[in-house]
Amino acid sequence: MARPSRPADIPGLPARRAALRLLDAVLRRGDPLELALHGAAQGLPAADRALVHAIAAEALRHLPDLDALIDGATRQPLPNDAKARMVLRIALIQVLALGTAPHAAIATALPLVDGGPRKLVHGVFGTVTRAAPALPDPPTLPEEVAARWEAQWGGDMPAAAASAYGVRPPVDVSLRHPAETADWAEKLGGESFAPGHVRLPDHASVTELPGFAEGVWWVQDLAASCPARLLGTGGGRTVLDLCAAPGGKTMQLAAAGWQVTALDQSKKRLERLSENLARTALAATIVQADLRQWEPERQADAILLDAPCTATGIYRRHPDVLHRIGPRQIAELAELQAELLSRAAQWLKPGGTLIYATCSLEKAEGEEQLEAFLRQNPGFSLQPAQQGELPQGICPDPEGWLRTLPDTLADKGCTDGFFVARLARAAQ
């Protein structure tokens, strides 16, 4: 006689349990999704790890809409951190976004309740799925995020952000040799918006495309390529690429003829940078250090500071930031950025150029940061970006800096949200 099935025997249960741990790490502890994945899915096969990531990421992308469905099927709202709500989010997103059959989703959900209200979870799940709902397209932004962005950018911005959120982000690549742009756009079947750029066709398998193994190009969002573009060609001059990993800007600068010193605090991310340099046959001096404690031996001709930030500008690829980031995190990181910017400015030669950039949609990490720096450092001035230096469809702000928003290149698949300012130090 066959023994009864135990929870540990249910196919797929370990992956769903890991997804629950991952979602809890993001929503309750505020951990970044990508960093928390390692611990949550430790020991699982690669395919299961991918499933864990997909469940958690899609649940985060559609969290307000999932919660609306759950609340519509309960007489009294469940607390946001209640395990029953977390389990229902995981079960429902599999059915509504990942194509899992309802019976399979609930079979791997109920054991996760661990002595909790299994009857409630089963009942709510059945009520929702029998109604055959569809998740809104585009997804609904968290209310506090939409309100914050509306206050900063106006009433149209949250709608544009939601629209971009519902579209799979395109894959851009930067070329080692910009002169070969037309040839590689044709070989890759993509579209170019600037020298040294190709936007790949949808669903392209990056590592299998021509030129990847040979190091002809690397993946880099179009907006993320703009900071290095504003430095132009190096001609053998020196540049400090601060907070450099995983190395897209480092490779751009090296390919443009700069002598690059790439600094980052993360050993793991620097290992990836080294791998990228080896693949592309580009050279840079790599330094692992805390920028708050490190000092260069001599001043540099140029500095690129891609400062640590909230990363709300890459919310399309990292939906966890919309649930982890609030006023406190923005204020803390803005304080760190001011410290790093002030410190880096001392390392620039007179007459040199400093690029300040963040992948943030928060003015405190961009426009307000720049204005405060210029007030406190009269020896620096804004060197306005020019249209001819930037990709098609990306325009400098009338004030001279660069700001990409969710509606930038909306007809071409959008870009990440970035702020970039080019500063010149007065010659002495």
Side-chain angles (χ1 to χ4, degrees), residues 307-347:
C309 69
T310 57
T312 53
I314 54 175
Y315 71 101
R316 298 179 302 158
R317 307 174 198 274
H318 301 279
D320 56 299
V321 301
L322 298 189
H323 306 283
R324 294 189 297 104
I325 299 300
R328 178 176 63 83
Q329 291 82 5
I330 295 169
E332 289 174 352
L333 282 160
E335 183 177 349
L336 174 61
Q337 290 149 16
E339 177 186 355
L340 299 183
L341 184 54
S342 177
R343 189 169 175 78
Q346 303 172 41
W347 306 335

Side-chain angles (χ1 to χ4, degrees), residues 288-415:
Q288 181 187 355
D290 185 338
L291 183 54
R292 294 168 294 184
Q293 301 172 359
W294 180 77
E295 292 275 358
E297 294 181 359
R298 59 187 64 86
Q299 290 179 318
D301 295 301
I303 294 175
L304 195 164
L305 173 61
D306 188 359
C309 69
T310 57
T312 53
I314 54 175
Y315 71 101
R316 298 179 302 158
R317 307 174 198 274
H318 301 279
D320 56 299
V321 301
L322 298 189
H323 306 283
R324 294 189 297 104
I325 299 300
R328 178 176 63 83
Q329 291 82 5
I330 295 169
E332 289 174 352
L333 282 160
E335 183 177 349
L336 174 61
Q337 290 149 16
E339 177 186 355
L340 299 183
L341 184 54
S342 177
R343 189 169 175 78
Q346 303 172 41
W347 306 335
L348 186 66
K349 290 180 180 179
T353 302
L354 169 62
I355 303 290
Y356 171 75
T358 57
C359 56
S360 169
L361 288 169
E362 315 303 329
K363 286 189 175 182
E365 299 181 282
E367 290 83 349
E368 294 173 8
Q369 192 71 251
L370 171 65
E371 291 165 358
F373 176 82
L374 291 175
R375 285 196 303 270
Q376 298 162 11
N377 295 271
F380 283 80
S381 60
L382 181 66
Q383 186 177 1
Q386 304 299 317
Q387 184 61 61
E389 300 176 289
L390 299 172
Q392 301 169 25
I394 296 182
C395 301
D397 187 271
E399 298 289 336
W401 55 71
L402 174 65
R403 163 61 75 184
T404 57
L405 290 168
D407 60 353
T408 302
L409 281 177
D411 60 334
K412 299 290 187 179
C414 305
T415 70

Side-chain angles (χ1 to χ4, degrees), residues 9 38 64 89 127 179 196 228 254 302 335 359 364:
D9 299 328
H38 176 73
R89 290 163 169 167
T127 298
E335 183 177 349
C359 56

